Amino acid sequence: MNTSSLLAWVLLLAPLLSAFMIWAFLKPFPFLSQIVSVGACAISFLIAIGVALGSIHEPVTINWIDIGGLTVQLGMVFDSLSKVMLLVVTGVGLMIHIYSMGYMGEDPGRSRFFAELSLFMLSMLGIVVATNFIMMYLFWELVGVSSYLLIGFWFEKPSAANAATKAFLANRIGDFGFLLGIIMFWTFTGSLMFDPSLSSYFKGHPLVTIMALLLFCGCVGKSAQIPLHVWLPDAMEGPTPVSALIHAATMVAAGVYMLCRIFFVLEQSEQALEVIAWTGGITALVAALTATQQDDIKRILAYSTMSQLGYMVMAVGSSATIAAMFHLCTHAFFKALLFLGAGSILHVLHHEQDIWKMGGLWKKMPLTFLTFFIGTCALAGVPGFSGFYSKDTILEMVGEKNKMLFWLGLFTAGLTAFYMTRLFVLTFMGAPKSEVAEHAHESPFVMGLPMVVLSFFALVGGYSVVGIEKALGTTHEAMSQAAKLNVMILSVLVGLTGVGIGAFAYWNKQKEIVIFPLFKNKFYFDELYELTLLKLQQLLAGVFAWLDEWIIGFGIVRGSAFLVSVGGELLRVFQTGNIRSYAFIFGAGAAAILVFFLISS
Amino acid sequence: MSFVSVLLFVPLLAFIAIIFKVPARQAALGASLLNLFVSFWIYFQYDPKIQGFQFVQDIRWIQLPGLPEIHYHVGVDGMNLPLILLTTIVTLAAIIVAPEGIKRESEFYSYLLAISLGAIGAFVSLDLFFFYIFHEFALIPTFLLIGIWGSENRQFVSLQITLYLMVGSLVLLVGILALLVLLPQEARTFDIPRLIDYAKAHPLPISKEAVPFAFLLVGFGTLVSLFPFYTWAPAGYAVAPTPAAMLHAGVLKKFGLYGLLRVAIPLLPGGLEHWKSWLYILLLGNILYIGYVTIVQKELTTMLGYSSVMHMGYIFLGLASWNKIGISGVVVLMVAHGLSIALLFALAGEIKDRTGEIKFSELGGLGQRMPFISVAFVLASFASIGVPGLANFTGELLIFFGSWQAQPWITALAIWGIVISAVYQLRAVQSVFFGKLPAHLKDVEDLQGLAKKFPYLLLMASLLIIGMMPSSLLSVIKPTVEHYFSTN
């Protein structure tokens, strides 16, 4: 193995060692733990830069499992897709590691926090560089684990414990399908590699749609698409840096990344793509509608994340993988930024999350205000900010394929502008609406710095100077300039309308102006599942348990007479502990049977 | 003398030492530590490139009238070597976890050693007679441990488990004898490798294999809690003293699976063919039916007992596939399950001793008081639900892939088990360690000191090493499995 090859493995080894060292040795030294964890992330970031510049090459693969026609390799793929993703994950990751030093500064469990954060970095980077399905599944499950641990970081809170379990289970259901899809792929091709040339094995096969949809299940769980989305809003129980890194910028986007990776499978089935596009579109719309009526700042952002993920999934379903990845990158910057801003607010407001108890923060927290403003503009799609370009690209591409989805996406864009304006106005503008908001002050520098860096990228991430789009390849040469212009004008108009209505309706308001119970109650998904699926599973378990008790009970009743007679003898064996007599009886019996059989033959 | 025989003599010497009043715990500790080293020495000396058995010792023992010669014939290959490592690791952990100063201490530790001795003996025996007798020899101390040192209701439970497993063993014996009777006079032998060679060269008609295989399946199956012969397991493990539960669920129970793998299916492949659809139905009973029953359990140890029954379903799934991938998975998962369930039972025992509670409704929030036990329990839970990086994942993955080749639809149903097991295992984690700490548990203590933590660290490290480097086991398993299937 040469040096460059070894360096590539350091990408994964650094966070792995960090997690292990903190857990094994550094638990009692929180300051050292955070240095190690941040250092490990910085090393991964440097290597990601090396990879992006082309000075670090793909390492030699390792055969992890190789038996009877099943070969699982551990390797790394450095193509444009993974290079961009590596930079985003390690870059945003580093910012959030630094921010966490401030945010978690007083938490007694912060060693554990940083160990789990490193474990997350390892798993996430593993997904990005995976060369094959099983390697991806492996790290895919591990991000699920680290997400579980981090959502449940404050495990003494019952709500956090519930949210952690819920997240893991929803993801497991998705992974169930994902795994079936993977095994199907292997049955078709005899290989597990992400190799587009393998598609000749299943081209035109009637089962290819089923395989594609099963693989898509993994994304539905991880990227919180309807119907497995219910865990994401609850995941906000975790510390805010976790929400920013895992449940906004990177892990939830892994589903979209995976879809782009396996697009060579998905594109073989028009029906599967159609289902994917509609799943994404409906998720985008439902989440945006829900976001318009929420009061918890983190939940609004969570629904917004879900909605934006829906956008990306819709783009993949419309064969616009590059547009999806472009939006994934810009979204990672501005959504991480928004969460860090929200975290900064919560940090000084003593974890008051209700936007109706904020207000007037622009004066007290100027840096948070300014950076949050940039993030809001990017998300709302204000021209010139990064989100505008990536969202526009998606709308253009979707519009070419499916007009209905285009209008749905456009309407969602308007809603996005509306709910973000509502959030922004209620949080920063007007007069303070509570005691804590009165006494707010700016967060420490260590938290401010990452926000500044991220807002820079949220501002300029859309321009080709930064090169995200260029690195991924060209998106839309085929489209005429006129059509592009139309889409752009439409989306600007819709966005401005949303901003206008939001600002007009919520300026200086003290309480909600109009309540839509359907949106307020998140389309009753939790209640629906509670009543149907969970009840059904409980019923099944209850019936089986009853049956089981009955079988055992029956055995006891029927067996008791037998036990009394035979058992008396055996009991004596126990009480004396006399093994010899037991052994004798047993030996005699065995010998008798033996002789009987051999004679009878 | 072969080093494999050393593995059997070391506990024997410890017995003698205990009889001569050497402190029982120290003798047992010394013996199990020594055995751990010996087993690792064998593992590192074992050469995967050589086909067939290694460290063989074959001594003619006795010739009874009308019976084939009985040999003391032992040896290791890729199928039993991993199980030997499992046995020595779990034995050491169980002996350290065992309480000091328990009543009738010398008997207690002797019985633990006897289980370990019997298990190793059964795994290394290449003679049917010894194979069977060693397992019987290990069962007796299991019953005694439950009957004498068990918790409440031990009399009834030990009777139940005794009757169940004895009946299972007898059915098994009938099966073995019926199998021998099937063969022509000159082919009758207790020697397992010769029997396998004979079976390969002279396949019997399926119709003849069906009956003895049914006996073997039910006999071995009962010992492994194959649905519906499982009712002894949850109750038995709930009552058994912790080290006994660790050794039985972790190690001895694997005898039934190993028997199917080593004896029943190779000798009667037609029997498997004949009963395959039934086996699939039964193993789905283990995975789905027992899986759902596990979800609603109200006590930690009973829940673990049920979960162990459920996981056996996966191993049966791998056995039923009977191909290279599936069988490799079977061996890996036997080891992985043994390590993880031993760890879980040890931790459950620790929790029971420290809190005096075992009901989920009475526990909670222990993460705040017991950081080490929580971390270990969470890791063991992740292992048990097949999270990558831990040993069980490799086994399950191989079994799913192997089984898919044989029976895709059944396999798809069985894979739903990964959701079910996550439900009950995470529910257990949540209700024991998360949430508010109840007032009556305010003063419970965590494990202190490296000596006390050692057995847990040993089991956790084993799970991690196998999980991250599956080749640690597969490099040994693969040549044996490939050799077996290539000459078939």
Side-chain angles (χ1 to χ4, degrees):
Chain A
M1 242 192 248
N2 55 28
T3 341
S4 145
S5 177
L6 279 175
L7 267 178
W9 284 113
V10 172
L11 182 75
L12 298 181
L13 284 178
L16 176 67
L17 279 178
S18 154
F20 178 76
M21 271 173 54
I22 295 173
W23 185 79
F25 308 112
L26 299 178
K27 266 271 176 76
F29 314 107
F31 184 74
L32 219 56
S33 301
Q34 66 193 29
I35 298 292
V36 167
S37 181
V38 172
C41 189
I43 292 173
S44 294
F45 179 58
L46 289 178
I47 291 176
I49 291 176
V51 170
L53 295 176
S55 50
I56 295 176
H57 303 288
E58 295 174 5
V60 185
T61 53
I62 300 167
N63 265 5
W64 198 59
I65 292 176
D66 177 17
I67 195 152
L70 175 68
T71 309
V72 180
Q73 291 178 330
L74 295 187
M76 291 191 181
V77 55
F78 296 154
D79 58 2
S80 57
L81 197 60
S82 63
K83 279 178 183 169
V84 169
M85 194 72 179
L86 275 182
L87 283 177
V88 170
V89 170
T90 53
V92 175
L94 184 60
M95 287 305 116
I96 289 169
H97 271 72
I98 293 171
Y99 178 92
S100 302
M101 294 202 294
Y103 190 83
M104 301 301 287
E106 287 125 50
D107 196 287
R110 64 186 186 279
S111 285
R112 180 163 55 90
F113 178 83
F114 279 99
E116 289 168 0
L117 217 50
S118 284
L119 178 68
F120 169 76
M121 288 306 289
L122 162 74
S123 337
M124 188 65 212
L125 292 171
I127 290 181
V128 176
V129 298
T131 57
N132 62 72
F133 277 101
I134 292 296
M135 183 175 172
M136 181 172 270
Y137 182 81
L138 207 142
F139 289 105
W140 186 266
E141 284 265 287
L142 282 181
V143 286
V145 167
S146 39
S147 154
Y148 167 83
L149 294 173
L150 284 163
I151 295 171
F153 180 72
W154 290 311
F155 58 81
E156 61 279 2
K157 259 174 45 189
S159 55
N162 277 331
T165 309
K166 190 174 179 182
F168 194 90
L169 294 181
N171 273 295
R172 256 280 152 119
I173 295 174
D175 293 355
F176 164 71
F178 190 31
L179 184 58
L180 292 188
I182 291 174
I183 302 181
M184 268 182 92
F185 180 87
W186 175 73
T187 321
F188 272 126
T189 63
S191 166
L192 289 160
M193 301 302 285
F194 294 134
D195 179 359
S197 67
L198 292 170
S199 61
S200 58
Y201 285 97
F202 46 79
K203 210 178 198 110
H205 195 283
L207 284 176
V208 73
T209 304
I210 292 177
M211 173 168 73
L213 289 178
L214 283 171
L215 292 168
F216 176 56
C217 283
C219 167
V220 173
K222 198 68 71 197
S223 292
Q225 299 296 293
I226 289 173
L228 291 179
H229 64 285
V230 285
W231 65 272
L232 184 60
D234 290 14
M236 298 301 124
E237 290 291 337
T240 305
V242 169
S243 310
L245 179 60
I246 302 184
H247 304 117
T250 57
M251 181 190 88
V252 286
V256 176
Y257 178 78
M258 182 268 278
L259 291 185
C260 296
R261 231 334 136 227
I262 63 162
F263 193 71
F264 70 98
V265 181
L266 306 180
E267 70 183 345
Q268 298 301 327
S269 164
E270 239 358 274
Q271 292 101 312
L273 284 180
E274 186 107 10
V275 172
I276 292 170
W278 277 101
T279 307
I282 290 169
T283 304
L285 178 65
V286 166
L289 285 172
T290 310
T292 57
Q293 291 267 294
Q294 301 304 309
D295 301 328
D296 179 322
I297 184 168
K298 282 181 74 179
R299 283 190 186 243
I300 297 173
L301 292 178
Y303 277 105
S304 152
T305 304
M306 189 179 139
S307 172
Q308 298 303 307
L309 290 167
Y311 253 94
M312 299 173 211
V313 171
M314 179 170 76
V316 174
S318 312
S319 303
T321 51
I322 291 171
M325 280 304 294
F326 186 26
H327 196 54
L328 188 161
C329 297
T330 58
H331 176 258
F333 296 128
F334 64 69
K335 191 51 73 60
L337 170 64
L338 287 170
F339 266 107
L340 295 191
S344 166
I345 295 168
L346 302 186
H347 192 64
V348 295
L349 293 196
H350 306 292
H351 293 269
E352 176 56 72
Q353 312 206 147
D354 190 342
I355 50 172
W356 292 98
K357 299 205 170 119
M358 296 174 186
L361 293 179
W362 67 275
K363 235 188 311 186
K364 324 234 153 147
M365 308 177 73
L367 183 70
T368 307
F369 165 72
L370 200 67
T371 52
F372 205 93
F373 177 73
I374 294 172
T376 306
C377 289
L379 175 53
V382 172
F385 291 85
S386 63
F388 170 75
Y389 295 98
S390 54
K391 189 182 288 187
D392 232 38
T393 320
I394 290 184
L395 283 177
E396 286 163 19
M397 302 294 287
V398 171
E400 266 181 42
K401 253 192 120 168
N402 189 329
K403 278 283 172 269
M404 261 173 82
L405 273 178
F406 170 77
W407 292 109
L408 187 151
L410 196 65
F411 180 59
T412 306
L415 284 174
T416 310
F418 169 75
Y419 69 69
M420 280 315 290
T421 311
R422 168 178 178 264
L423 169 66
F424 188 78
V425 166
L426 289 175
T427 310
F428 289 100
M429 297 300 155
K433 291 188 261 292
S434 71
E435 263 311 287
V436 278
E438 292 268 10
H439 301 106
H441 55 85
E442 190 54 87
S443 289
F445 173 72
V446 70
M447 288 164 69
L449 176 75
M451 284 152 56
V452 172
V453 174
L454 285 173
S455 44
F456 172 74
F457 283 101
L459 196 59
V460 303
Y463 297 101
S464 51
V465 259
V466 181
I468 298 173
E469 212 184 346
K470 210 159 59 190
L472 288 164
T474 1
T475 39
H476 41 93
E477 283 168 338
M479 213 167 179
S480 73
Q481 285 300 321
K484 273 170 81 172
L485 203 65
N486 282 342
V487 172
M488 199 181 283
I489 291 168
L490 265 177
S491 82
V492 170
L493 280 179
V494 167
L496 287 180
T497 316
V499 171
I501 296 176
F504 179 73
Y506 286 96
W507 198 271
N508 259 335
K509 288 288 185 305
Q510 299 298 318
K511 59 179 183 20
E512 189 61 76
I513 38 173
V514 53
I515 291 176
F516 294 97
L518 185 65
F519 305 159
K520 183 99 187 158
N521 292 298
K522 306 142 192 173
F523 286 76
Y524 298 100
F525 269 104
D526 280 317
E527 289 78 2
L528 189 73
Y529 288 165
E530 187 67 48
L531 279 175
T532 54
L533 290 176
L534 292 180
K535 275 273 179 300
L536 191 74
Q537 300 278 315
Q538 271 168 9
L539 189 74
L540 204 61
V543 168
F544 284 176
W546 178 81
L547 251 167
D548 201 58
E549 267 174 35
W550 189 81
I551 291 171
I552 292 180
F554 183 75
I556 291 169
V557 174
R558 288 296 295 272
S560 59
F562 180 63
L563 277 184
V564 168
S565 55
V566 179
E569 286 303 308
L570 278 166
L571 209 58
R572 210 161 37 224
V573 175
F574 280 126
Q575 278 163 349
T576 57
N578 189 340
I579 301 176
R580 265 168 305 172
S581 64
Y582 168 83
F584 175 75
I585 296 166
F586 167 75
I593 297 172
L594 202 66
V595 171
F596 170 78
F597 261 97
L598 293 170
I599 290 172
S600 70
S601 68
Chain B
M1 192 167 68
S2 153
F3 270 89
V4 170
S5 302
V6 173
L7 287 173
L8 299 172
F9 272 100
V10 169
L12 215 54
L13 285 175
F15 285 141
I16 296 169
I18 291 172
I19 289 171
F20 284 100
K21 302 286 177 219
V22 173
R25 186 178 163 87
Q26 277 76 348
L29 267 178
S32 47
L33 194 61
L34 188 57
N35 252 2
L36 183 72
F37 284 120
V38 174
S39 65
F40 270 89
W41 197 85
I42 293 174
Y43 169 76
F44 285 113
Q45 290 299 309
Y46 179 85
D47 184 355
K49 285 195 267 313
I50 299 172
Q51 278 169 5
F53 292 93
Q54 299 176 36
F55 295 92
V56 176
Q57 189 161 24
D58 189 354
I59 303 167
R60 189 169 162 260
W61 189 55
I62 197 166
Q63 165 99 59
L64 294 171
L67 283 185
E69 273 183 353
I70 298 171
H71 282 237
Y72 171 80
H73 186 187
V74 294
V76 292
D77 69 353
M79 284 185 192
N80 59 6
L81 183 53
L83 293 173
I84 294 167
L85 294 175
L86 166 72
T87 312
T88 55
I89 291 171
V90 172
T91 304
L92 180 62
I95 300 260
I96 302 178
V97 165
E100 292 175 58
I102 195 168
K103 66 167 179 179
R104 295 161 78 174
E105 193 175 49
S106 51
E107 275 178 73
F108 186 80
Y109 283 99
S110 307
Y111 294 157
L112 290 182
L113 281 178
I115 299 181
S116 175
L117 169 66
I120 296 176
F123 291 145
V124 298
S125 286
L126 301 178
D127 182 279
L128 267 183
F129 181 84
F130 274 100
F131 167 78
Y132 184 82
I133 292 298
F134 268 120
H135 173 254
E136 289 297 303
F137 176 75
L139 273 187
I140 303 161
T142 315
F143 305 146
L144 293 172
L145 281 164
I146 296 173
I148 299 172
W149 291 274
S151 54
E152 75 276 14
N153 210 11
R154 60 174 176 267
Q155 299 287 359
F156 175 77
V157 171
S158 65
L159 265 180
Q160 187 197 21
I161 195 172
T162 307
L163 289 180
Y164 233 113
L165 296 186
M166 290 318 297
V167 170
S169 303
L170 278 179
V171 173
L172 171 61
L173 185 63
V174 173
I176 292 177
L177 296 173
L179 164 74
L180 288 177
V181 170
L182 262 187
L183 300 173
Q185 189 73 43
E186 68 279 3
R188 282 182 200 163
T189 169
F190 282 134
D191 195 75
I192 296 173
R194 268 164 59 202
L195 282 172
I196 294 175
D197 287 343
Y198 182 84
K200 272 184 190 170
H202 310 86
L204 288 164
I206 288 183
S207 58
K208 278 195 150 182
E209 295 188 12
V211 176
F213 189 83
F215 276 94
L216 292 180
L217 182 62
V218 172
F220 283 127
T222 306
L223 301 177
V224 208
S225 61
L226 174 63
F227 182 84
F229 312 110
Y230 64 91
T231 52
W232 59 270
Y237 293 143
V239 171
T242 303
M246 289 169 74
L247 275 171
H248 191 273
V251 178
L252 193 57
K253 197 181 181 183
K254 305 294 177 291
F255 170 78
L257 299 164
Y258 177 70
L260 287 168
L261 176 66
R262 177 68 94 200
V263 176
I265 305 179
L267 296 188
L268 303 165
L272 176 67
E273 274 317 308
H274 186 265
W275 294 108
K276 206 176 240 176
S277 29
W278 283 98
L279 180 56
Y280 276 119
I281 292 171
L282 298 186
L283 68 87
L284 283 182
N286 274 74
I287 296 172
L288 300 178
Y289 171 85
I290 296 296
Y292 279 110
V293 173
T294 314
I295 291 179
V296 290
Q297 293 310 309
K298 297 183 176 67
E299 290 179 356
L300 179 56
T301 39
T302 319
M303 187 286 275
L304 292 177
Y306 272 105
S307 86
S308 158
V309 175
M310 180 216 175
H311 285 293
M312 291 306 107
Y314 289 143
I315 305 187
F316 282 113
L317 186 69
L319 283 170
S321 75
W322 203 244
N323 57 37
K324 284 182 212 172
I325 303 176
I327 292 304
S328 311
V330 164
V331 181
V332 175
L333 192 55
M334 281 200 279
V335 175
H337 175 265
L339 295 168
S340 60
I341 198 73
L343 180 55
L344 284 168
F345 271 124
L347 292 163
E350 213 64 74
I351 291 164
K352 193 177 177 182
D353 290 346
R354 280 155 198 275
T355 64
E357 306 285 354
I358 206 66
K359 284 201 174 66
F360 289 130
S361 56
E362 302 295 316
L363 291 162
L366 288 181
Q368 295 161 55
R369 296 290 307 167
M370 302 177 153
F372 179 80
I373 291 179
S374 328
V375 169
F377 197 95
V378 169
L379 184 126
S381 297
F382 280 139
S384 137
I385 64 179
V387 162
L390 295 156
N392 308 50
F393 170 76
T394 316
E396 286 180 14
L397 189 77
L398 289 169
I399 286 175
F400 292 155
F401 273 82
S403 176
W404 188 279
Q405 286 184 318
Q407 266 291 351
W409 291 108
I410 302 271
T411 311
L413 279 174
I415 294 179
W416 182 248
I418 68 169
V419 177
I420 299 178
S421 59
V423 171
Y424 62 68
Q425 200 67 44
L426 292 189
R427 177 177 157 273
V429 169
Q430 191 180 339
S431 49
V432 175
F433 296 102
F434 294 171
K436 292 206 166 54
L437 189 69
H440 63 285
L441 300 177
K442 283 273 184 283
D443 302 315
V444 293
E445 302 252 326
D446 198 12
L447 275 168
Q448 302 293 344
L450 197 60
K452 281 251 188 312
K453 289 179 183 170
F454 176 76
Y456 301 94
L457 293 172
L458 175 69
L459 293 170
M460 286 156 80
S462 312
L463 286 169
L464 276 167
I465 290 171
I466 300 172
M468 297 215 255
M469 295 187 296
S471 58
S472 54
L473 288 186
L474 285 177
S475 62
V476 178
I477 298 169
K478 184 183 170 186
T480 303
V481 171
E482 286 191 334
H483 174 65
Y484 181 84
F485 282 99
S486 63
T487 51
N488 217 4

